[in-house]
Amino acid sequence: PDPVRSTSMGGLATLAVLTLSNALVSATRRWIRDDIRIPIYVLIIASLVTCIELILKLIKNYDFIY
């Protein structure tokens, strides 16, 4: 395995999760009640991490990059 490819994919995955989670949290802030806000944010971030992980596994299995 190429360490540069693994590192760059990890960095891109982290960037994607941070960007998407910030956008979703900002978009939903007005509609979520204060008492359930933090659990909803954790749920959003966990869902995004799972989605990005599945996308990375798909890319690894089918090798779409090369």
Side-chain angles (χ1 to χ4, degrees):
D2 185 18
V4 174
R5 181 179 175 195
S6 297
T7 304
S8 61
M9 292 301 287
L12 288 174
T14 303
L15 180 67
V17 169
L18 286 172
T19 304
L20 292 172
S21 65
N22 283 329
L24 286 173
V25 164
S26 295
T28 59
R29 179 174 289 149
R30 285 181 237 138
W31 297 290
I32 297 176
R33 293 190 330 235
D34 289 340
D35 55 338
I36 61 168
R37 183 170 287 172
I38 292 178
I40 295 296
Y41 292 168
V42 170
L43 184 66
I44 289 171
I45 294 168
S47 300
L48 286 170
V49 168
T50 302
C51 290
I52 296 294
E53 182 181 5
L54 290 172
I55 290 169
L56 287 177
K57 284 183 181 182
L58 179 73
I59 290 171
K60 180 182 174 189
N61 287 340
Y62 292 103
D63 206 18
F64 286 127
I65 292 179
Y66 293 117

